[in-house]
Amino acid sequence: MAKLIYVTNVSLDGYIEDEHGRFDWTPPDDDYFAFVTDLVRPMGTYLYGRRLYESMAVWETEPALAARSKLTADFADVWQTADKIVYSTTLDTTLTARTRLDRSFDPASVRAIKASATSDLTIGGAHLAAQAFQAGLIDECHLLIHPILTGGGKPGLPSGTRLDLELLSTRRFSNGVAYLHYRVST
């Protein structure tokens, strides 16, 4: 069975975006960018909430972004190669290939996808991930903790859900980001 993996950037105080919806405090350096690309490279399917999907779709809809460097071209290729499922009640259509639109998050459907997938899946978007955490679907968390306190905003991890985690690995980047890789204990 494939694993469902939550990968997210968070501030030191646990937010994925500040009180104004900005996440401009997460710009990557080359080492960090290459690491993240390698982290998501083996993922076969990305499960996204609408806002994160719209932010990530530029890796296919804006070719100039990929043309900036070998690193950005590699990430664009990795992103475009994966299947995407976008959960949204407001989108009418998707902007990218290999993308399916689902109107609601159905834990049973995600369990079926995990059972039949030949490679791991990643989930992104705090609201969507919270639903997956609450349904007991998340197998691992990859947190990229940025050296900033935003003072508030959108929490990266759900409240009201308790899970025991096992630390599997860590890494420190020269830009001050700390990477923490956890497995959800069963």
Side-chain angles (χ1 to χ4, degrees):
M1 178 181 291
K3 294 181 286 190
L4 182 58
I5 301 170
Y6 181 43
V7 178
T8 193
N9 291 291
V10 293
S11 63
L12 183 60
D13 51 351
Y15 298 99
I16 62 167
E17 58 187 43
D18 68 18
E19 293 173 326
H20 305 288
R22 293 189 313 253
F23 50 90
D24 54 353
W25 41 268
T26 65
D29 63 17
D30 287 353
D31 184 40
Y32 172 88
F33 196 82
F35 176 82
V36 170
T37 301
D38 288 340
L39 183 64
V40 298
R41 186 182 310 279
M43 308 294 171
T45 304
Y46 302 154
L47 308 181
Y48 283 134
R50 178 193 54 84
R51 287 189 61 212
L52 183 57
Y53 168 72
E54 289 175 336
S55 296
M56 297 300 293
V58 297
W59 291 104
E60 186 171 329
T61 62
E62 296 182 21
L65 186 59
R68 289 182 183 170
S69 70
K70 287 182 182 179
L71 286 173
T72 57
D74 186 30
F75 184 84
D77 181 59
V78 166
W79 193 86
Q80 291 173 31
T81 301
D83 293 325
K84 276 79 70 186
I85 302 173
V86 181
Y87 297 90
S88 174
T89 59
T90 58
L91 280 181
D92 293 323
T93 187
T94 60
L95 306 170
T96 57
R98 303 179 65 107
T99 306
R100 179 177 97 202
L101 179 60
D102 282 2
R103 291 293 170 203
S104 64
F105 180 78
D106 175 31
S109 173
V110 175
R111 278 187 194 89
I113 294 167
K114 286 175 63 174
S116 65
T118 57
S119 56
D120 290 337
L121 304 92
T122 186
I123 189 164
H127 179 69
L128 183 64
Q131 292 176 71
F133 273 112
Q134 291 163 352
L137 294 169
I138 303 283
D139 300 292
E140 293 183 5
C141 297
H142 296 258
L143 304 176
L144 296 138
I145 302 170
H146 292 258
I148 185 171
L149 298 175
T150 64
K154 184 185 285 187
L157 294 167
S159 61
T161 301
R162 180 193 162 114
L163 291 172
D164 292 322
L165 305 173
E166 176 187 353
L167 183 62
L168 299 178
S169 63
T170 63
R171 180 170 174 180
R172 182 185 183 282
F173 292 90
S174 61
N175 63 0
V177 171
Y179 165 73
L180 302 174
H181 174 198
Y182 291 101
R183 176 175 35 228
V184 175
S185 298
T186 52

